[in-house]
Amino acid sequence: MKFVLEGVMEFSKPLEPVKLDFPKLVAKEINSELFKKGVPQEQEGSRIVHWAIEGSKLLVTIEGTTYLRPHDAFLRLRNFLSEKFGKDYGIGVRNIFVRDYEIRYTPKKLPKEAIQVKVPWVKSIELKGNEIIIKLQNLDSTALEDRYVERILRRVEEKIDAQAYGGKAEHWELIWKSKEKKPVWDKDPSEEMEKRGWIKRFDVGVWLYTPIPAKILRTMQQIALKEVIKPLKFEEVILPKVTPLEVWLRTGHVPGSSNSFFYVSKPLTYDPEYWEGFADYVKVTNKIPYEELKEKLEAPRAGVCFAQCPPFYWYFEKKSLQEENLPIKVWDASGTSMRWEAGGLHGIERVCEFHRIEIIWLGTKDQAIDIREKLVERYKQIFEKILDIEWRMAWVTPWYMAQAGQVGEAEKEKGTIDFEAWLPFRGSRE
Amino acid sequence: MKFVLEGVMEFSKPLEPVKLDFPKLVAKEINSELFKKGVPQEQEGSRIVHWAIEGSKLLVTIEGTTYLRPHDAFLRLRNFLSEKFGKDYGIGVRNIFVRDYEIRYTPKKLPKEAIQVKVPWVKSIELKGNEIIIKLQNLDSTALEDRYVERILRRVEEKIDAQAYGGKAEHWELIWKSKEKKPVWDKDPSEEMEKRGWIKRFDVGVWLYTPIPAKILRTMQQIALKEVIKPLKFEEVILPKVTPLEVWLRTGHVPGSSNSFFYVSKPLTYDPEYWEGFADYVKVTNKIPYEELKEKLEAPRAGVCFAQCPPFYWYFEKKSLQEENLPIKVWDASGTSMRWEAGGLHGIERVCEFHRIEIIWLGTKDQAIDIREKLVERYKQIFEKILDIEWRMAWVTPWYMAQAGQVGEAEKEKGTIDFEAWLPFRGSRE
């Protein structure tokens, strides 16, 4: 990797007093000492190849390698000059800024199509021969200190990987399948139940269940409790059903699943006075002014539960766990989760609002894998002996990982197993 | 009530041909026949007191009473002229518009302070002596046909009522209270449980329950099932947990509780391309650009479940029920409901996210009251014999009714009973 950075350092006073000594400083102290620290002796780190002083501004061009990346060198330079000029001349650093930053390297895999990272700091990403040339711009101290550069590079790699694995499609791999079975009934259950008034479509992918189907769902839950949860000694917890986006930021659901959330916003204020005009409008017209309503709300800070696990992980934030307290095995069925999907919604088997049990476990790697295997055994029992359905299981790299660019081979061990059953009304088994 | 309306009716052609005959038409057909229909003989209806023709426009001033309100007379006039001018001269009505509309009357109760209805059609509402003078403006055919005028008048009455009943405060009236009991423990349970790591605050008014408190909550649910739901033969249903605002518009929760909802918005599109720039920004900065996110969402069309009943009522939309199928008695505990509250949140007893059972019943008035009484009996049993707590019950006019202006005496029969228990850690019993 080759890096060329053009940066500006702004000081509290004109740099006239340092001008004379600066060439020596660059040669003797900066390039040969400051920028050598931590760099293996036979390797190149970073060095200032050009500089100029204009009033209270220092303009530098730094070239470097991965052993010391120029933006790290630039931050190091700020601290060094801050101390040196402060002591010797009473001059402080006001501001640092990278106007242009060019990074070129030969990637392990070549991208199949143009890569874009749509943030203000990326000017262009080009492929020339076997080399990727990334041009960055306008990086301020936050961008430099909060590692935007590293994250842009990682994002480029993720996008190359995602392209290699077929972009957004999910990766599917059969593990096991049951024998083919003759269906006892081949109608569409949702259609049939709707006709009888057992279920009713409340909204896109959202259903209301009257007593008979409610009983069926509860019976399924009883089976799960009796056959899986109790014998494997999972304990019930009650997890929140609206998740702050900041929690999802840490679990990777933001941004991975950002297009699928049902976002939750609170009113800007509870004050009834503030809502009086809205209430008047609705009462007089019997219509909801949706766009006006949008302006009366805060920006969304949360979303309806997508998976139950993020609040569970969050519970352990800043806690240290002793190995003797592991594994932790819990389940939650205290509410619904929701996912927005573009298409393919159908009946009660492909929905936006899910009624489900989530089981979560936490342990050493061996414990985690052992529990997974026990669960799979129990599921097999249920599908084969109790439900007697035609089913299969497969490794599936979830699309949120795919979309977030995490689709490498190493993900499989911690990947997802899907249990899929054949719905006879659909005809084809595929 | 006295009404004076100034309206404009625009025709498809200049009204030159009708000018000569119009005075006769007003005197003989409109004021004496058209505007008399349905008006009791000894009463005044509406009449045109002034008119002018300007090109293709007819300007009229109509005075009237509640026996025939001028805006109804105006709509009647449109239909009449539409037919008459159409047949005789091939002239059609293009457009109707009320520029000014003054309504004055002596209200049953005088408002305590100025009344405002903040919609574009209300110019001013004034009190002069014992009279309220409402000046309306710019009413188009939608406003006239969709009864905005009637709703504005009702809204004024609601606001006068709400002022009389003390505005937004809730109306509380004791029905019964238990004996005072000596507390067995007087600590704050939430504080105690938090200290032990049994519960954790996930967000404002949102808690996570670990196995022990989860077990306590489930035990409470078991008591409700065993003592109330099963003996009274309620059946379980599974109701959606996100409610479209259009459903709440019909139940009155919109606008009554608009300041307390957790609103739900979907992404403008599911298309991952559309979310790519957002994903890039989050991945590079590790920050969520909330305002940008807001613009990537639709206006809110729904809210997190506030009460379970609205989807249940919606289920019966356009269904006719036979009396022999009543009463219908159901319960739901398939998810959480959420309410935003300004202040007063505390521990697990005053929350934004509720875990609860909702029981709903539907029947004739006698059945409904009978079921309520049986429920109250059962609740008494639970509080007195099983929980052995100090409690009371009271009529409470819910604040959403209060806010929507529905606080009259007649509401009590269908009003709310609150069951309140003394929390010893709070000290005072009030």
Side-chain angles (χ1 to χ4, degrees):
Chain A
M1 273 189 172
K2 281 179 199 158
F3 300 78
V4 183
L5 174 149
E6 288 183 31
V8 183
M9 209 170 281
E10 207 178 328
F11 292 83
S12 57
K13 292 178 191 165
L15 291 172
E16 216 46 53
V18 310
K19 228 170 177 172
L20 199 67
D21 284 343
F22 203 69
K24 210 176 77 188
L25 198 66
V26 170
K28 303 274 178 192
E29 297 191 45
I30 297 169
N31 279 346
S32 10
E33 287 184 21
L34 183 71
F35 286 1
K36 290 286 183 209
K37 272 178 219 155
V39 178
Q41 234 172 355
E42 67 283 12
Q43 297 293 351
E44 292 267 331
S46 275
R47 64 193 179 91
I48 295 178
V49 293
H50 180 81
W51 60 268
I53 286 171
E54 288 177 6
S56 57
K57 285 181 186 166
L58 168 67
L59 286 66
V60 288
T61 303
I62 305 177
E63 285 183 9
T65 70
T66 43
Y67 292 100
L68 177 63
R69 297 173 182 210
H71 62 281
D72 288 325
F74 191 52
L75 287 170
R76 205 182 267 188
L77 182 64
R78 177 191 57 183
N79 296 344
F80 174 77
L81 294 181
S82 201
E83 206 192 310
K84 181 147 196 89
F85 290 178
K87 210 153 51 185
D88 299 354
Y89 309 96
I91 297 177
V93 177
R94 274 283 155 82
N95 190 23
I96 59 170
F97 192 74
V98 171
R99 288 199 289 217
D100 286 292
Y101 196 13
E102 192 183 291
I103 302 166
R104 47 170 81 214
Y105 69 102
T106 308
K108 275 176 229 141
K109 289 186 213 111
L110 281 179
K112 290 182 178 170
E113 47 187 279
I115 299 282
Q116 280 189 305
V117 178
K118 291 174 186 165
V119 291
W121 307 281
V122 174
K123 201 164 155 187
S124 66
I125 300 174
E126 280 172 76
L127 187 68
K128 269 201 186 149
N130 279 335
E131 252 190 355
I132 287 185
I133 304 164
I134 301 173
K135 289 184 177 160
L136 305 182
Q137 63 187 358
N138 303 333
L139 298 150
D140 62 10
S141 59
T142 304
L144 296 172
E145 285 165 352
D146 287 0
R147 321 307 290 158
Y148 290 7
V149 177
E150 284 73 6
R151 292 214 201 90
I152 289 167
L153 293 176
R154 200 186 316 142
R155 189 79 179 131
V156 169
E157 284 305 301
E158 281 175 3
K159 291 195 178 203
I160 295 174
D161 271 359
Q163 283 182 4
Y165 282 89
K168 284 117 200 165
E170 57 179 21
H171 184 71
W172 189 94
E173 204 181 315
L174 183 70
I175 302 172
W176 189 89
K177 64 176 179 177
S178 74
K179 270 183 283 192
E180 288 202 357
K181 284 172 191 172
K182 203 174 124 57
V184 292
W185 192 67
D186 65 358
K187 298 285 185 301
D188 178 345
S190 301
E191 213 180 289
E192 208 66 26
M193 290 196 285
E194 226 180 335
K195 225 183 286 167
R196 292 167 195 226
W198 286 11
I199 58 173
K200 188 173 169 180
R201 191 192 306 263
F202 188 58
D203 204 339
V204 182
V206 178
W207 294 86
L208 180 153
Y209 302 82
T210 62
I212 295 169
K215 194 82 191 167
I216 295 171
L217 290 190
R218 287 295 175 211
T219 304
M220 300 289 244
Q221 185 174 24
Q222 286 307 317
I223 293 172
L225 282 171
K226 208 182 141 204
E227 302 293 327
V228 182
I229 287 168
K230 279 180 190 162
L232 297 186
K233 297 194 168 58
F234 280 77
E235 289 185 292
E236 186 176 13
V237 291
I238 295 180
L239 300 171
K241 289 293 164 291
V242 162
T243 307
L245 300 182
E246 294 293 333
V247 169
W248 279 337
L249 180 62
R250 281 181 264 172
T251 57
H253 289 85
V254 168
S257 303
S258 303
N259 61 341
S260 310
F261 294 137
F262 284 77
Y263 288 90
V264 174
S265 310
K266 283 195 310 231
L268 268 170
T269 156
Y270 177 86
D271 180 11
E273 292 273 327
Y274 177 78
W275 288 90
E276 188 76 7
F278 176 81
D280 287 345
Y281 187 93
V282 173
K283 282 268 172 177
V284 168
T285 64
N286 202 29
K287 289 181 191 113
I288 299 170
Y290 287 101
E291 289 303 323
E292 188 195 320
L293 176 60
K294 189 175 179 178
E295 297 317 311
K296 293 185 100 63
L297 307 182
E298 285 181 358
R301 298 250 152 208
V304 175
C305 175
F306 190 80
Q308 279 103 317
C309 46
F312 175 73
Y313 299 141
W314 160 89
Y315 175 79
F316 293 102
E317 190 188 35
K318 291 176 193 158
K319 278 195 169 68
S320 60
L321 287 168
Q322 302 303 313
E323 207 174 312
E324 65 258 33
N325 295 329
L326 297 177
I328 293 168
K329 295 185 287 184
V330 300
W331 64 283
D332 170 87
S334 65
T336 51
S337 28
M338 293 194 83
R339 298 179 185 187
W340 175 240
E341 298 196 37
L345 292 171
H346 180 274
I348 62 163
E349 78 278 11
R350 188 80 188 271
V351 292
C352 286
E353 186 185 55
F354 299 80
H355 298 276
R356 58 182 192 144
I357 303 171
E358 183 145 318
I359 52 179
I360 313 169
W361 63 103
L362 191 80
T364 63
K365 186 173 168 180
D366 286 347
Q367 287 171 338
I369 290 172
D370 177 56
I371 292 166
R372 184 179 68 189
E373 275 161 17
K374 285 191 175 119
L375 283 168
V376 169
E377 267 319 301
R378 295 273 164 182
Y379 294 163
K380 261 192 178 173
Q381 285 294 315
I382 293 175
F383 301 145
E384 289 283 297
K385 308 286 177 202
I386 300 176
L387 301 180
D388 190 20
I389 49 175
E390 186 175 329
W391 67 287
R392 63 189 181 189
M393 56 181 177
W395 288 111
V396 178
T397 303
W399 45 274
Y400 81 84
M401 280 185 164
Q403 199 173 316
Q406 300 170 16
V407 287
E409 269 299 305
E411 303 302 322
K412 212 161 146 186
E413 195 157 52
K414 51 182 172 170
T416 300
I417 300 175
D418 268 14
F419 299 86
E420 302 170 350
W422 176 46
L423 297 172
F425 79 90
R426 284 216 184 149
S428 159
R429 286 181 157 85
E430 279 325 297
Chain B
M1 274 188 171
K2 281 180 198 157
F3 300 77
V4 183
L5 174 150
E6 289 184 30
V8 184
M9 210 170 279
E10 207 179 328
F11 292 83
S12 57
K13 292 178 191 167
L15 291 172
E16 216 45 52
V18 310
K19 229 170 177 171
L20 200 67
D21 284 343
F22 203 70
K24 209 177 77 189
L25 198 66
V26 169
K28 303 273 178 192
E29 298 192 45
I30 297 169
N31 279 346
S32 10
E33 287 185 20
L34 183 70
F35 286 1
K36 290 285 184 210
K37 272 179 218 154
V39 178
Q41 236 173 353
E42 68 282 11
Q43 297 293 351
E44 292 266 331
S46 276
R47 63 193 180 91
I48 295 177
V49 294
H50 179 81
W51 59 269
I53 286 171
E54 287 177 7
S56 57
K57 286 181 185 166
L58 168 67
L59 286 66
V60 289
T61 303
I62 306 177
E63 285 184 8
T65 70
T66 44
Y67 292 100
L68 177 63
R69 297 172 183 212
H71 62 281
D72 288 325
F74 191 52
L75 287 170
R76 204 181 268 188
L77 182 65
R78 176 190 58 183
N79 296 343
F80 174 77
L81 294 181
S82 200
E83 206 192 311
K84 182 148 196 88
F85 290 178
K87 210 152 52 186
D88 298 355
Y89 309 97
I91 297 177
V93 178
R94 275 283 155 82
N95 190 23
I96 60 170
F97 193 74
V98 171
R99 288 200 288 217
D100 286 292
Y101 196 12
E102 191 182 291
I103 302 167
R104 46 171 81 215
Y105 70 102
T106 307
K108 275 176 228 141
K109 289 186 214 111
L110 281 180
K112 290 181 177 171
E113 47 187 280
I115 299 280
Q116 281 189 303
V117 178
K118 291 175 186 164
V119 291
W121 307 281
V122 174
K123 201 165 155 187
S124 66
I125 301 175
E126 280 172 76
L127 187 69
K128 269 200 186 151
N130 279 335
E131 253 190 353
I132 286 186
I133 303 165
I134 301 173
K135 289 185 177 159
L136 305 182
Q137 63 188 358
N138 303 333
L139 298 150
D140 62 10
S141 59
T142 304
L144 296 171
E145 285 166 351
D146 287 0
R147 322 308 289 159
Y148 290 7
V149 177
E150 283 73 5
R151 293 215 200 90
I152 289 167
L153 293 175
R154 200 186 316 141
R155 189 78 180 132
V156 170
E157 284 304 301
E158 280 175 3
K159 291 195 178 203
I160 295 174
D161 271 359
Q163 283 181 5
Y165 282 89
K168 283 118 200 163
E170 57 178 21
H171 184 71
W172 189 94
E173 205 181 314
L174 183 71
I175 303 172
W176 189 89
K177 64 176 179 177
S178 74
K179 270 183 284 193
E180 288 202 357
K181 284 171 191 172
K182 202 174 125 57
V184 291
W185 191 67
D186 65 358
K187 298 285 184 303
D188 178 344
S190 302
E191 213 180 288
E192 207 66 25
M193 289 196 285
E194 226 180 335
K195 225 183 287 167
R196 292 168 195 225
W198 287 11
I199 58 172
K200 188 174 170 180
R201 191 192 305 265
F202 188 58
D203 204 340
V204 182
V206 178
W207 294 86
L208 179 152
Y209 302 82
T210 62
I212 295 170
K215 194 81 191 168
I216 295 171
L217 289 190
R218 287 296 174 211
T219 304
M220 301 289 245
Q221 185 174 23
Q222 287 307 317
I223 293 171
L225 282 171
K226 207 181 142 205
E227 302 293 327
V228 182
I229 287 167
K230 279 180 190 163
L232 297 186
K233 297 194 168 58
F234 280 77
E235 289 185 292
E236 186 177 13
V237 291
I238 295 180
L239 300 171
K241 289 293 165 291
V242 161
T243 308
L245 300 182
E246 294 293 333
V247 169
W248 279 336
L249 180 62
R250 281 181 263 172
T251 57
H253 288 85
V254 168
S257 303
S258 303
N259 62 341
S260 309
F261 294 137
F262 284 78
Y263 289 90
V264 174
S265 310
K266 283 196 309 231
L268 268 169
T269 155
Y270 176 85
D271 181 11
E273 292 273 327
Y274 178 78
W275 288 90
E276 188 77 7
F278 175 81
D280 287 345
Y281 187 93
V282 173
K283 282 267 171 177
V284 168
T285 63
N286 202 28
K287 288 181 191 113
I288 299 170
Y290 287 101
E291 289 303 322
E292 188 196 320
L293 177 60
K294 189 175 180 178
E295 297 317 312
K296 293 185 99 65
L297 306 182
E298 285 181 357
R301 298 251 152 208
V304 175
C305 175
F306 190 80
Q308 279 103 317
C309 47
F312 175 73
Y313 299 141
W314 160 89
Y315 175 79
F316 293 102
E317 189 187 36
K318 290 176 192 157
K319 278 194 169 67
S320 60
L321 287 168
Q322 302 303 313
E323 208 174 312
E324 65 258 33
N325 295 328
L326 297 177
I328 293 168
K329 296 186 286 185
V330 300
W331 64 283
D332 170 87
S334 64
T336 52
S337 28
M338 293 194 83
R339 297 179 186 188
W340 176 241
E341 298 196 38
L345 292 171
H346 180 274
I348 62 163
E349 78 278 12
R350 189 80 187 272
V351 291
C352 286
E353 186 185 55
F354 299 80
H355 298 276
R356 57 182 192 145
I357 303 170
E358 183 145 318
I359 52 179
I360 313 168
W361 63 104
L362 191 80
T364 63
K365 187 174 169 178
D366 286 347
Q367 287 171 338
I369 290 172
D370 176 56
I371 293 166
R372 184 179 67 188
E373 276 161 15
K374 284 190 176 121
L375 283 168
V376 169
E377 267 319 301
R378 295 273 164 181
Y379 294 162
K380 261 193 178 173
Q381 285 294 316
I382 292 176
F383 301 145
E384 289 283 297
K385 307 288 177 200
I386 299 175
L387 301 179
D388 189 20
I389 49 175
E390 186 174 329
W391 67 287
R392 63 189 182 190
M393 56 181 177
W395 288 111
V396 177
T397 303
W399 45 273
Y400 81 83
M401 280 185 162
Q403 198 173 317
Q406 300 170 17
V407 287
E409 269 299 304
E411 303 303 322
K412 211 162 145 185
E413 195 157 52
K414 50 180 172 170
T416 300
I417 300 175
D418 268 13
F419 298 87
E420 302 170 350
W422 176 47
L423 297 172
F425 79 90
R426 284 215 184 150
S428 159
R429 286 180 156 84
E430 279 325 298

